Amino acid sequence: MSAPPSFALHTYGCQMNVRDSDLLARRLRAAGLAEAASEDEADVVLVNSCSVREKAEEKALGKLGLLCAARRSRPGLVVGLTGCMANRLGPGVFGLVPGLSFSVGPRAAPAAIAGLVRDALAGARGRFVPDPAPGEAASEPPLPDGGVPAAPPVQSYVTILYGCNRRCSYCIVPSVRGREESRDPRAIVAEVRAETARGARDVCLLGQSVMRYGLSGFAWPENLPSPMGFTEPLPRLLELVAREVPEVLRLRFTSGHPAGVTDELVRAMREIPAVCPHLHLPMQSGSDRILRAMRRGYDAAGYLDAVRRLREGVPDIALTTDVIVGYPGETEEDFEATRRAMEAADFDNAFVFKYSPRPGTPSSLLEDDVPDAEKRRRDQVLLADQDARGQRCNDRWVGRVAEVIAEGPSLRNPARWSGRTGQNKIVVFDPAPGLRPGDLVRVRIASARPQTLYGDPLP
Ligand code: SAH
Ligand code: SF4
Ligand code: F3S
């Protein structure tokens, strides 16, 4: 008997892609393929791509080019594309990447992947499967049994809201991920349960603008009441998942938007024990002028008001953010406003991105007039600010005891272990004998760096 064909996945982009890759891996395992020991030995390599910035697309195209060139020495190699670039490039991708076996949209992929791979292994080339059109969006086929990876992660993701209805001027996501569609809470509970059954303890619910969960084209099922008295869909969902799946020690949701920071949501974060005191709340800019141009739907004061309500309502909350530097027309004054707003928000962590014009977005019609060197400078200034701020935020933990879910050996020093707090802070500590991933450990924090806490476990 010959060995089953093997596959490898290469993932770019956001957590939604991480989750989709994991799902595709499970489907391929269920279809009889085996995970390759390395990409170099795989019979099938799937690239799960991101379109959000030009750099991300260049990386994926470079990768695909290399893989297709490797065909010269590996003639049967199947190379497939999925993720946001599959939608953005459409069938045109076969002209850009000669030799590509197939391309499939991220929503279509779960149902189509096994057949596409089987046909490609038999020699089929050039098949494109687009995502379903709005309205006909098929719900995901149920998860296949089996296909559990050797070391399932402690932290796991579950998509609750596909697509995005906001139209931020710079963003390609709405055009590659389609209209918003909220998943049924029972399907979400089932998936969270399946995640915990294979070892997940920290589950993050995903949506591009996650607080819009259940706000369009959706009715909360009548037979799912809220004992805590919530009326809004996201607080109800958090309550439901926490109640139905007690194995979830931690529940998060991302990404947030100030408009979604309602009193109910703040109460849900405070009163549901599994829901973490942590929120990723992209700010993008601190300049009212730029925020208006970006069509973000808030000004700096509105953003900071959401921050204030979160800090008042959720003790010890950690806030993280995304910021774009060098949006068209961003002046030194706008940039300084961003610096001040970041300081006022007191972010625990921040991701800074250099503006990248994306085809078809409203802002791509504006001149990309901040020179790259200046974008780089602003990026570095914000990162240096954040380093100091992150150090200050983390110093507040020194001497306190943090509840940490152990994940495994630390990347830097495998003799020690790392884990995460509810605030999503990484804590490095010496593992007690017999410690297993997913165990809850109490760690007294002894020292801090901008991105990491160090400490000693209590007996
Ligand atoms: N849905 C999420 C963001 C998804 S994209 C949200 O709205 O919060 C992740 C981040 O990439 C964004 O928050 C933004 O900071 C950045 N980004 C998006 N489009 C970009 C572009 N054209 N250039 C540079 N950064 C961009
Ligand atoms: Fe893009 Fe804005 Fe939607 Fe986020 S909320 S995915 S930035 S359009
Ligand atoms: Fe990228 Fe698509 Fe996510 S564009 S950020 S992979 S939704």
Side-chain angles (χ1 to χ4, degrees):
M1 216 179 80
S2 64
S6 64
F7 69 92
L9 272 150
H10 207 87
T11 306
Y12 299 95
C14 65
Q15 291 145 328
M16 216 166 265
N17 272 13
V18 173
R19 179 260 182 185
D20 289 350
S21 284
D22 185 57
L23 229 65
L24 294 180
R26 281 201 254 175
R27 288 186 187 281
L28 291 175
R29 282 190 219 101
L33 280 84
E35 193 132 22
S38 83
E39 207 172 281
D40 300 336
E41 297 165 30
D43 301 306
V44 179
V45 180
L46 205 60
V47 174
N48 192 357
S49 61
C50 170
S51 293
V52 81
R53 281 168 294 275
E54 194 179 2
K55 276 255 162 55
E57 290 206 339
E58 282 169 1
K59 278 194 212 155
L61 284 174
K63 183 81 199 167
L64 289 167
L66 284 175
L67 287 166
C68 290
R71 277 247 180 72
R72 267 175 247 132
S73 53
R74 297 156 72 188
L77 178 65
V78 168
V79 181
L81 173 68
T82 185
C84 295
M85 284 173 74
N87 280 341
R88 195 177 83 74
L89 299 172
V93 70
F94 298 104
L96 279 176
V97 188
L100 185 67
S101 310
F102 61 82
S103 175
V104 55
R107 294 289 312 275
I113 195 68
L116 283 170
V117 165
R118 187 186 54 230
D119 294 352
L121 283 166
R125 290 287 176 267
R127 274 185 67 193
F128 171 62
V129 183
D131 272 356
E136 66 174 63
S139 56
E140 276 186 29
L143 283 172
D145 290 335
V148 175
V154 168
Q155 196 168 38
S156 161
Y157 305 107
V158 172
T159 298
I160 65 169
L161 177 67
Y162 303 107
C164 185
N165 284 5
R166 288 192 195 278
R167 293 264 160 202
C168 304
S169 63
Y170 50 83
C171 185
I172 198 155
V173 170
S175 70
V176 290
R177 287 275 176 170
R179 304 285 298 166
E180 276 175 8
E181 188 193 332
S182 300
R183 281 180 85 190
D184 188 287
R186 290 157 293 203
I188 295 167
V189 166
E191 190 169 324
V192 174
R193 199 174 275 136
E195 288 303 300
T196 58
R198 59 178 200 150
R201 290 294 170 266
D202 182 327
V203 174
C204 185
L205 307 178
L206 300 179
Q208 292 300 337
S209 196
V210 76
M211 292 161 178
R212 288 192 46 82
Y213 174 75
L215 295 188
S216 56
F218 178 88
W220 183 267
E222 272 176 31
N223 58 350
L224 297 177
S226 164
M228 295 179 77
F230 293 128
T231 60
E232 296 170 6
L234 182 59
R236 286 190 140 195
L237 180 71
L238 293 168
E239 180 190 13
L240 181 76
V241 172
R243 189 176 67 233
E244 294 287 315
V245 197
E247 295 82 4
V248 183
L249 302 179
R250 294 208 177 129
L251 205 50
R252 308 177 195 273
F253 48 95
T254 202
S255 294
H257 185 283
V261 181
T262 61
D263 291 346
E264 266 199 16
L265 186 68
V266 172
R267 177 161 81 85
M269 294 185 78
R270 181 177 61 240
E271 292 182 2
I272 304 171
V275 176
C276 290
H278 161 218
L279 188 63
H280 186 64
L281 193 67
M283 183 175 84
Q284 312 302 4
S285 170
S287 151
D288 290 344
R289 209 174 62 83
I290 297 293
L291 284 168
R292 202 173 323 114
M294 287 177 163
R295 308 185 189 165
R296 285 292 291 176
Y298 53 83
D299 56 14
Y303 182 92
L304 290 172
D305 186 58
V307 166
R308 179 187 57 76
R309 286 180 288 118
L310 285 160
R311 292 208 184 278
E312 282 175 9
V314 187
D316 275 336
I317 191 170
L319 295 174
T320 56
T321 203
D322 292 341
V323 170
I324 297 175
V325 289
Y327 185 83
E330 186 186 68
T331 62
E332 189 60 27
E333 211 174 303
D334 295 318
F335 173 66
E336 286 300 326
T338 298
R339 289 186 73 184
R340 281 194 303 276
M342 290 179 79
E343 191 59 22
D346 202 22
F347 292 119
D348 288 77
N349 202 355
F351 301 89
V352 182
F353 303 102
K354 290 184 285 173
Y355 171 73
S356 163
R358 308 307 296 129
T361 59
S363 73
S364 69
L365 303 175
L366 306 171
E367 193 194 341
D368 181 14
D369 57 358
V370 180
D372 197 56
E374 181 58 19
K375 286 182 188 165
R376 233 176 1 241
R377 185 191 72 83
R378 293 179 188 177
D379 178 26
Q380 278 157 11
V381 170
L382 293 189
L383 289 179
D385 285 357
Q386 185 55 48
D387 237 35
R389 195 180 305 121
Q391 181 72 54
R392 195 178 70 213
C393 288
N394 282 353
D395 279 342
R396 294 182 202 132
W397 280 92
V398 173
R400 292 182 65 183
V401 174
E403 302 250 330
V404 176
I405 296 187
E407 290 183 7
S410 146
L411 288 179
R412 287 242 180 113
N413 174 4
R416 309 193 82 192
W417 271 41
S418 73
R420 252 171 241 270
T421 69
Q423 285 79 7
N424 212 30
K425 292 187 182 287
I426 295 180
V427 180
V428 174
F429 58 96
D430 292 320
L435 184 69
R436 285 169 316 177
D439 287 349
L440 204 58
V441 192
R442 286 161 55 79
V443 179
R444 185 176 298 283
I445 304 304
S447 64
R449 308 223 314 145
Q451 310 261 6
T452 319
L453 301 170
Y454 301 84
D456 308 300
L458 302 182

